[in-house]
Amino acid sequence: MLNIRDAEINPIGLGTWNIGENKSTYQNEVDAIRYAIDNGVYVIDTAEMYGNGKSEEIIGHSIKNTIGKSCILSLKYYLKMHQKRKF
């Protein structure tokens, strides 16, 4: 669990609701996320429904090699996407 009392958190985060929607190239989306991280934005908000899960894949690829930097991922789960499943 993150102890936010000891962490300096930038008040600006990156919302990724539009990532993975085929409105840009895969590489442009990776570059945008890396640019944000390189410039001090390391809180990234996503959900499995963003781009039908593609957003999370692109974020994973983007942060994979961000050596020496940490990211905080804010994740959401949309139950209606899985209503057919029995939990």
Side-chain angles (χ1 to χ4, degrees), residues 20-35:
E21 293 286 335
N22 297 321
K23 295 181 181 180
S24 183
T25 67
Y26 186 93
Q27 190 58 50
N28 282 348
E29 292 173 340
V30 168
D31 291 344
I33 294 167
R34 288 184 177 162
Y35 180 85

Side-chain angles (χ1 to χ4, degrees), residues 19-69:
I19 300 288
E21 293 286 335
N22 297 321
K23 295 181 181 180
S24 183
T25 67
Y26 186 93
Q27 190 58 50
N28 282 348
E29 292 173 340
V30 168
D31 291 344
I33 294 167
R34 288 184 177 162
Y35 180 85
I37 294 168
D38 289 343
N39 287 280
V41 177
Y42 56 91
V43 176
I44 302 173
D45 173 68
T46 189
E48 67 172 333
M49 64 185 294
Y50 295 175
N52 288 320
K54 189 85 172 159
S55 173
E56 291 175 333
E57 176 187 325
I58 295 169
I59 292 167
H61 179 82
S62 301
I63 67 175
K64 183 177 181 181
N65 295 313
T66 54
I67 298 169
K69 298 180 181 174

